[in-house]
Amino acid sequence: MAQNLSDFSMEKLVLPSNGGSAGRRRSNSWTLHDPTGFDDIHDEDGPPCPLASKLTNQRWHEIGNSPDQSICSTSNFDVMVEQLAAVMGMHLLELLLYWLRPKDDDGTKKEVITDVLEYLEIDPNIGNYVLTTSIKNSIRDYVAEIGKLYKDVGFHSLEHAIHVTMSMNKLLSMVSDSHHQVSKSFENDGEGHNCGSPRRVAQSYGIDDPRIKFAMFFSALIHDVGHTGVPNSVLVEEEDELAILHNDVSVAEQNSLNIAFSLLHAPQFARLKHCIGPNPTQRKFFRKRVIASVMVTDISDQERIQIVKSRWETAFPPVEDEEKNQTERRQARTAAPTPPEAPRTELRQSRLRRRATMHSSEAVAEGFLARSRRLGIRTSMDFSGNLIDAYGTNNQLQQHAVLETMMNVADVAHTMQSFNTFVKWNRRLFRELHAARSAERLPFDPSARWYENQIGFFNHYILPLAGKMKSCGVLGTTGDVFELFAAENLKRWKEEGEAISEEIVRSETSMNGGAAAPMGVRNGSRVGR
């Protein structure tokens, strides 16, 4: 075990082979070659491929469907824990090595945090750094405890969590691979933008940051822990204690966050918490990112959906609007000023001066004038009148919008993968809702219009969501994959969905003792619809 920074060769402070995020490109794998040299895919006669690498190198549309039992989806608790712990260890190792680097990937100097050295050691078999056994055990123990807190419900179970987590892990890998690939293929235009067609060249938006990658993986792991198998609206209607605790707002999501953070703060996970956030600043960064990612999965919250939509439209206005704005700016620079412009400018300044008189301090008033802008997604204000920038740069705003989209994509990844995967999880969702209906906790019969409702879900939510992954350019041309699979699944559902729906309803209702019970009197009061 290394005890100080001098024991480490800075040349080795890179992600070792058991943590590589990508492999050699395969046919239709949607996995790009990793130009950094950490290819994990081996020939049949080569060394064994670490579990984390095998899980990462699954094809996007085949996640969980491998003939390799070590990475195939399963209901075996111990196997699921091993899979999750392996990938979490991969991301934590990358994070620890990040704390030891003196510079970010863009060359910017950063704080070097050396007290994490005690959690690393050199593996003589690979000649590189790995996590110590104690930290590996902490990871496994944390994952196991989280796994036990997932309830045995039809859809929002540990099996769903691992599918979402492995899908998120793959998304992060695809972002890294696409970014590294275009870094070698395109020149920079000198202003931080890649040359080429708008949003078709991969832009990472800083998502390569190991802090962000670990936070997104962690968010996917814990996003549904403690889910009771009924929608938030039911918990609110029943005046459930969780709804009372969380003020009827994103009840299940806030409960999951509370469970996950409370467990992480338990004494037995103090070292793991220190690895994730060695100081208060980094812990705050981690917590803020996780909270935002988990809360965005509540797609039934209309206010949150509107905020997410507004943030996206601010970060990524339609291309035609961008072109129009650029044209107008060019014309404004070249056109000679016209007399009417001066009065309008003076009028605006006069209005701002009148608004500035609200401030008692001349300096504050001048600052208000200098920084005056509309409040909204990017800017807020405290009671003293100080403006607060939520995002220092437009890139940070875009990063937030893309991360929200990635979390939502991972949460419904089954709709954008193979058709068999979609049908599997579609069945499990019906099973969960039917169980809630049978318990007289659901105010609607899920069997009614099940086929038609899935078409509406694709048209109004899935396809637009998949389109975001394409339009933002975070994966370059590879971003088409989500829209392609979603469109294909919708096409097949229209053709085969009626028969599949009838079979799902028939088998699931018979398994649970017949048709869903009618809503009626429950615990002395009628359940609201």
Side-chain angles (χ1 to χ4, degrees), residues 1-249:
M1 181 185 301
Q3 298 299 327
N4 55 69
L5 191 60
S6 62
D7 294 338
F8 280 75
S9 165
M10 295 306 294
E11 294 179 355
K12 291 186 177 182
L13 289 182
V14 293
L15 196 60
S17 59
N18 69 330
S21 63
R24 193 170 293 112
R25 183 165 187 171
R26 309 170 186 169
S27 175
N28 297 323
S29 67
W30 309 107
T31 303
L32 297 173
H33 171 70
D34 180 6
T36 57
F38 296 115
D39 282 286
D40 302 284
I41 301 303
H42 61 282
D43 297 329
E44 293 183 0
D45 297 331
C49 186
L51 178 58
S53 295
K54 290 199 293 184
L55 288 163
T56 301
N57 284 314
Q58 295 177 93
R59 299 177 180 183
W60 164 258
H61 59 291
E62 295 177 353
I63 288 176
N65 294 328
S66 173
D68 184 344
Q69 293 302 307
S70 68
I71 62 174
C72 185
S73 62
T74 177
S75 59
N76 184 296
F77 182 81
D78 292 334
V79 174
M80 288 190 286
V81 168
E82 287 303 315
Q83 291 177 350
L84 290 166
V87 182
M88 186 171 178
M90 176 186 77
H91 286 290
L92 187 63
L93 174 59
E94 185 178 5
L95 182 59
L96 290 178
L97 297 178
Y98 171 82
W99 298 136
L100 295 170
R101 295 207 313 253
K103 295 182 180 179
D104 281 320
D105 289 339
D106 61 2
T108 304
K109 289 185 178 181
K110 56 176 283 293
E111 179 186 9
V112 177
I113 304 175
T114 59
D115 60 357
V116 299
L117 290 172
E118 62 178 294
Y119 307 121
L120 293 170
E121 62 186 11
I122 295 178
D123 184 340
N125 295 320
I126 63 173
N128 219 322
Y129 304 113
V130 296
L131 299 176
T132 62
T133 301
S134 63
I135 288 300
K136 290 179 182 178
N137 290 338
S138 292
I139 291 172
R140 188 175 292 105
D141 291 345
Y142 184 83
V143 170
E145 289 300 315
I146 285 291
K148 292 174 185 176
L149 294 170
Y150 269 91
K151 299 184 183 297
D152 186 18
V153 294
F155 185 86
H156 295 95
S157 59
L158 180 59
E159 290 94 328
H160 167 67
I162 193 171
H163 187 80
V164 173
T165 305
M166 294 307 160
S167 296
M168 173 58 73
N169 180 57
K170 186 63 182 180
L171 287 173
L172 294 169
S173 170
M174 293 169 73
V175 170
S176 296
D177 297 342
S178 298
H179 180 59
H180 288 310
Q181 183 77 2
V182 299
S183 294
K184 290 182 173 293
S185 304
F186 292 86
E187 294 294 329
N188 192 280
D189 64 3
E191 297 182 358
H193 304 291
N194 288 318
C195 300
S197 301
R199 298 184 192 164
R200 302 302 293 159
V201 177
Q203 303 178 63
S204 73
Y205 302 108
I207 297 172
D208 268 350
D209 187 328
R211 300 173 301 167
I212 291 177
K213 292 165 70 175
F214 186 88
M216 296 305 291
F217 177 90
F218 185 89
S219 301
L221 167 64
I222 61 94
H223 81 285
D224 273 331
V225 63
H227 199 290
T228 59
V230 297
N232 283 332
S233 58
V234 172
L235 297 176
V236 172
E237 184 68 26
E238 294 176 346
E239 298 184 21
D240 187 274
E241 61 179 11
L242 289 177
I244 302 299
L245 178 64
H246 298 300
N247 301 311
D248 296 348
V249 177

Side-chain angles (χ1 to χ4, degrees), residues 296-315:
V296 81
T297 62
D298 182 10
I299 62 173
S300 65
D301 186 327
Q302 295 179 348
E303 291 184 8
R304 191 175 306 281
I305 287 294
Q306 186 58 48
I307 291 172
V308 170
K309 179 181 178 182
S310 298
R311 182 161 26 242
W312 181 270
E313 292 175 348
T314 303

Side-chain angles (χ1 to χ4, degrees), residues 229-471:
V230 297
N232 283 332
S233 58
V234 172
L235 297 176
V236 172
E237 184 68 26
E238 294 176 346
E239 298 184 21
D240 187 274
E241 61 179 11
L242 289 177
I244 302 299
L245 178 64
H246 298 300
N247 301 311
D248 296 348
V249 177
S250 300
V251 179
E253 291 73 21
Q254 294 204 66
N255 182 50
S256 297
L257 288 165
N258 180 46
I259 291 172
F261 283 125
S262 296
L263 182 62
L264 187 60
H265 281 265
Q268 65 266 36
F269 298 115
R271 290 180 299 175
L272 177 60
K273 184 179 73 172
H274 184 69
C275 288
I276 297 171
N279 57 48
T281 299
Q282 298 302 337
R283 286 194 291 275
K284 181 181 178 181
F285 178 92
F286 169 73
R287 181 174 167 82
K288 182 178 181 180
R289 182 69 264 155
V290 172
I291 291 172
S293 298
V294 173
M295 294 296 282
V296 81
T297 62
D298 182 10
I299 62 173
S300 65
D301 186 327
Q302 295 179 348
E303 291 184 8
R304 191 175 306 281
I305 287 294
Q306 186 58 48
I307 291 172
V308 170
K309 179 181 178 182
S310 298
R311 182 161 26 242
W312 181 270
E313 292 175 348
T314 303
F316 298 103
V319 173
E320 55 269 22
D321 290 351
E322 289 184 358
E323 294 174 348
K324 179 181 177 181
N325 291 338
Q326 290 174 2
T327 300
E328 290 177 349
R329 285 195 294 269
R330 284 195 298 268
Q331 292 174 346
R333 286 195 298 266
T334 57
T338 57
E341 291 297 324
R344 281 203 294 267
T345 301
E346 292 176 359
L347 178 61
R348 179 176 180 274
Q349 292 175 346
S350 175
R351 288 173 177 171
L352 289 177
R353 281 194 293 269
R354 286 198 298 271
R355 291 169 63 188
T357 59
M358 294 185 299
H359 301 278
S360 58
S361 166
E362 183 178 349
V364 172
E366 291 177 353
F368 179 86
L369 288 172
R371 297 175 292 142
S372 179
R373 50 192 177 274
R374 295 180 61 185
L375 304 182
I377 290 295
R378 301 191 63 152
T379 307
S380 60
M381 179 180 288
D382 62 19
F383 280 114
S384 68
N386 289 321
L387 295 175
I388 303 171
D389 286 324
Y391 308 97
T393 64
N394 191 58
N395 188 71
Q396 292 177 357
L397 172 63
Q398 292 176 326
Q399 179 192 89
H400 191 164
V402 172
L403 289 174
E404 287 181 327
T405 300
M406 289 175 62
M407 189 68 193
N408 285 141
V409 167
D411 197 23
V412 293
H414 63 283
T415 65
M416 306 177 195
Q417 294 169 340
S418 71
F419 189 69
N420 288 339
T421 298
F422 165 63
V423 172
K424 167 188 172 180
W425 289 105
N426 188 262
R427 176 187 298 274
R428 294 194 61 157
L429 178 59
F430 179 87
R431 181 181 303 164
E432 179 174 293
L433 294 175
H434 176 67
R437 174 70 172 180
S438 298
E440 300 188 3
R441 300 188 67 188
L442 200 65
F444 63 90
D445 183 356
S447 64
R449 296 181 57 81
W450 185 257
Y451 164 72
E452 294 85 356
N453 287 345
Q454 307 315 302
I455 295 175
F457 188 57
F458 267 94
N459 284 329
H460 297 294
Y461 183 71
I462 298 301
L463 287 174
L465 179 63
K468 287 183 177 181
M469 288 298 293
K470 174 182 177 180
S471 64

